[in-house]
Amino acid sequence: MIDWFAMLVGGSLFLFMVPLLYRIWVGPTAYDRILAVNVIGTKTAVLLVVIGALFDRVHMFVDFAIAYALLNFLASVVVSRYLNRTAAERNVEEKTKGARA
Amino acid sequence: MLKKKRKEQERKMKDSSFIPVLAETMTSSLNDLNIIQIFGFLLGVLGLIFFLGAAVGMLRFPDFYTRMHAAGKGDSMSTMLMLSGLGLVTMEDYSLGSWLVFVKIMGIVLFIYLTSPTSTHVLMKAAFEDNHMPLDEKDLKKAKGKKK
């Protein structure tokens, strides 16, 4: 019964990731893409626990899931800080150009 | 306990035909379920419903900020629900090892409770300072005019 539950949750997770992949592929701005990547990364941590439940090795896969959640959070924060800084630099450049003209 | 039961089930599968054995294992495993596992199943299915909402919102909403509204809430809530459901379901016996696994899973839940809103906030701030304005009524009217 645990196997059935894990198969249900894992298959539905894969199925519901398809719209997020569409958003990564099409997404008008870079921020949409980062948002979708962030959601998929969080769900991958859940998927690791599901795989552990399927293989009867939850005690091992839980540690992978912790590491993956940490890395995912770091990646999303770092990319948004990077985009924030480049946007601020662009604003400063535009202001200086306007002042010269 | 569970491994012994599985070996017996495998023996039964080898001995006789497939479908009655499948029915028998299903009923026996339904009888074996305790209330905590049923609660875990319910939590997991509820989390799947929340994640379906987040996915549909990411697909259908017109604007970055509205998409972020769907993704941020649905993602963190569904992750927390599904992880706690899985933690309850995988509690086989109440030994020290299974308690350790449960505590680790609840640690992931706590971590996501803290970090998912944080990353959503940082991303929203980055988009807003990039002069990326939300939709207003004029934009919606323009979109309607284009469709007609």
Side-chain angles (χ1 to χ4, degrees), chain B residues 100-138:
Chain B
L100 184 64
V101 169
F102 183 70
V103 168
K104 274 180 185 172
I105 289 180
M106 292 325 271
I108 303 179
V109 170
L110 182 68
F111 183 74
I112 282 174
Y113 174 75
L114 291 175
T115 58
S116 179
T118 311
S119 63
T120 308
H121 176 83
V122 172
L123 193 55
M124 189 278 298
K125 206 177 170 191
F128 192 74
E129 288 180 359
D130 198 6
N131 299 325
H132 193 278
M133 284 297 134
L135 286 180
D136 53 0
E137 287 184 18
K138 286 178 189 172

Side-chain angles (χ1 to χ4, degrees), chain A residues 6-98:
Chain A
M7 300 263 266
L8 172 76
V9 172
S12 321
L13 276 177
F14 270 117
L15 198 69
F16 298 157
M17 272 180 196
V18 174
L20 299 172
L21 285 177
Y22 169 81
R23 190 48 69 194
I24 291 176
W25 183 260
V26 173
T29 61
Y31 300 104
D32 288 303
R33 297 195 169 105
I34 301 166
L35 186 61
V37 167
N38 189 15
V39 173
I40 286 186
T42 322
K43 284 297 172 285
T44 309
V46 181
L47 210 56
L48 275 172
V49 180
V50 169
I51 291 169
L54 268 180
F55 288 155
D56 278 335
R57 295 270 189 284
V58 190
H59 53 277
M60 193 170 79
F61 277 83
V62 156
D63 297 338
F64 302 162
I66 291 175
Y68 206 89
L70 280 163
L71 277 178
N72 180 44
F73 170 63
L74 262 184
S76 91
V77 168
V78 165
V79 172
S80 11
R81 290 303 291 174
Y82 169 73
L83 284 174
N84 197 355
R85 182 175 292 177
T86 50
E89 282 175 0
R90 206 185 307 142
N91 283 343
V92 168
E93 279 179 7
E94 282 173 4
K95 274 182 189 173
T96 51
K97 272 183 189 174

Side-chain angles (χ1 to χ4, degrees), chain A residues 2 56, chain B residues 1-7 32 37 92-93:
Chain A
I2 291 175
D56 278 335
Chain B
M1 281 293 286
L2 269 179
K3 283 180 183 175
K4 280 182 183 176
K5 276 181 192 171
R6 273 193 193 162
K7 279 180 184 174
D32 285 344
Q37 279 186 329
E92 292 171 355
D93 47 352

Side-chain angles (χ1 to χ4, degrees), chain B residues 38-66:
Chain B
I38 292 173
F39 191 61
F41 288 147
L42 286 182
L43 279 184
V45 173
L46 200 63
L48 278 182
I49 292 170
F50 270 85
F51 185 41
L52 176 65
V56 173
M58 283 292 280
L59 189 63
R60 294 282 298 168
F61 274 144
D63 183 14
F64 169 67
Y65 294 97
T66 50

